[in-house]
């Protein structure tokens, strides 16, 4: 079974600084997709970034980028120039077509301070 | 266009009562998912619909939980004889089968409190 592990329950970053959230996963599949979702207090899950496992190039979306290490089964999220609006729970998630569902980690709560 | 909507936003019920939670997916999205999120936890998969069929019900925690989908659109999740451990946020998501694989769009969830 696939598992996703987020070992940092809470992280804190100062506004305008950079923070990296960690995620590891376990799978025997070769074709899969990885995601970072953001959940602010409103409960709405918002897709932050997506990575296809077959692509070596790391995905980037504006201030958000990932470090995807397939052999190590690691998928970290880097947030640059942190903003107060980035404060939220961040969930790492795994998807494969054979299972057709997202498997989530337990989340990392990110605080952004002035 | 409209996103995924869920109703009610909040539901308080007494232990032993039945509840129905509703999800309206994005128009044209053939895949629909239900997840449960207990307080301070990640999301647990409950059930997946492709069209009106449910090829994966493996996450339903007991036979008190059931779900249906009609018209390849709205879905209802029913919990019978609710228990306190059913208290959680229930999230619905939808996606296009032919779209970017795994990219699911979530509704705002229904917070269920069983007293």
């Amino acid at each position: 079974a696939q598992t996703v592990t987020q070992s940092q329950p809470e992280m804190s970053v100062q506004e305008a600084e950079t923070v990296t959230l960690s995620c590891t996963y376990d799978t025997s599949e070769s074709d899969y997709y990885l995601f970072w979702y953001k959940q602010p207090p409103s409960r709405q899950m918002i897709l932050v970034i997506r990575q296809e496992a077959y692509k070596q190039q790391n995905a980037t979306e504006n201030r958000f980028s990932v470090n995807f290490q397939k052999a190590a089964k690691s998928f970290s999220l880097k947030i640059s120039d942190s903003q107060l609006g980035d404060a939220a729970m961040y969930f790492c998630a795994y998807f494969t077509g054979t299972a057709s569902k997202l498997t989530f980690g337990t989340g990392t709560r990110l605080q952004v301070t002035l | 266009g409209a996103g995924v909507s869920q109703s009610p936003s909040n539901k308080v019920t007494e232990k032993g009562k039945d509840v129905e939670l509703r999800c309206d997916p994005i128009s044209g999205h053939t895949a629909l998912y239900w997840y449960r999120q207990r307080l301070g936890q990640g999301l647990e998969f409950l059930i997946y619909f492709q069209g009106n069929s449910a090829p994966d019900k493996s996450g339903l925690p007991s036979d008190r939980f059931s779900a249906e989908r009609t018209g390849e659109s709205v879905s209802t999740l029913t919990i019978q004889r609710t228990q306190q451990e059913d208290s959680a946020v229930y999230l619905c998501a939808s996606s296009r089968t032919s779209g970017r694989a795994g990219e699911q769009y979530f509704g705002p969830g229904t917070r269920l409190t069983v007293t």
Side-chain angles (χ1 to χ4, degrees):
Chain A
Q2 294 87 9
T3 57
V4 177
T5 302
Q6 293 179 251
S7 58
Q8 305 155 315
E10 289 191 15
M11 292 284 284
S12 183
V13 63
Q14 282 194 318
E15 199 177 16
E17 297 296 308
T18 295
V19 65
T20 298
L21 308 185
S22 301
C23 173
T24 58
Y25 58 95
D26 188 24
T27 183
S28 57
E29 304 270 352
S30 59
D31 187 18
Y32 53 88
Y33 303 82
L34 296 164
F35 302 84
W36 280 96
Y37 277 88
K38 170 185 176 181
Q39 187 180 43
S42 67
R43 295 199 310 246
Q44 184 78 51
M45 294 285 283
I46 301 164
L47 177 64
V48 175
I49 200 163
R50 175 180 186 268
Q51 173 81 44
E52 295 96 332
Y54 63 84
K55 287 189 177 178
Q56 292 187 333
Q57 186 172 6
N58 290 322
T60 62
E61 288 288 342
N62 302 312
R63 298 183 294 109
F64 298 87
S65 62
V66 299
N67 184 2
F68 174 48
Q69 302 288 329
K70 189 172 184 179
K73 296 180 182 173
S74 169
F75 182 61
S76 60
L77 174 70
K78 185 170 85 170
I79 306 174
S80 303
D81 185 26
S82 297
Q83 300 175 358
L84 294 177
D86 295 334
M89 283 290 287
Y90 286 82
F91 291 97
C92 178
Y94 166 101
F95 178 92
T96 179
T98 57
S100 294
K101 65 186 179 187
L102 286 166
T103 299
F104 286 87
T106 51
T108 297
R109 181 174 302 280
L110 178 66
Q111 284 188 312
V112 181
T113 59
L114 294 170
Chain B
V4 178
S5 61
Q6 293 186 245
S7 60
S9 177
N10 292 281
K11 175 74 177 177
V12 180
T13 189
E14 291 181 353
K15 178 181 171 181
K17 301 283 190 184
D18 298 352
V19 294
E20 275 193 2
L21 312 180
R22 179 186 169 108
C23 172
D24 284 272
I26 294 172
S27 178
H29 280 197
T30 55
L32 186 146
Y33 307 80
W34 283 98
Y35 296 88
R36 178 171 72 178
Q37 185 178 27
R38 289 195 164 118
L39 187 63
Q41 303 291 314
L43 279 70
E44 303 170 72
F45 168 78
L46 296 178
I47 188 169
Y48 155 60
F49 286 92
Q50 181 57 47
N52 294 333
S53 301
D56 189 353
K57 307 178 185 180
S58 63
L60 293 178
S62 75
D63 58 8
R64 296 186 296 104
F65 287 73
S66 63
E68 66 173 14
R69 188 179 185 197
T70 56
E72 297 197 356
S73 181
V74 64
S75 175
T76 54
L77 176 68
T78 302
I79 309 173
Q80 295 179 310
R81 305 181 304 281
T82 51
Q83 304 295 311
Q84 287 187 329
E85 64 261 27
D86 299 334
S87 295
V89 174
Y90 290 83
L91 290 154
C92 174
S94 70
S95 69
R96 290 191 304 242
T97 303
S98 59
R100 286 156 57 89
E103 200 162 298
Q104 298 180 13
Y105 297 85
F106 283 80
T110 294
R111 181 180 299 280
L112 175 66
T113 304
V114 182
T115 62

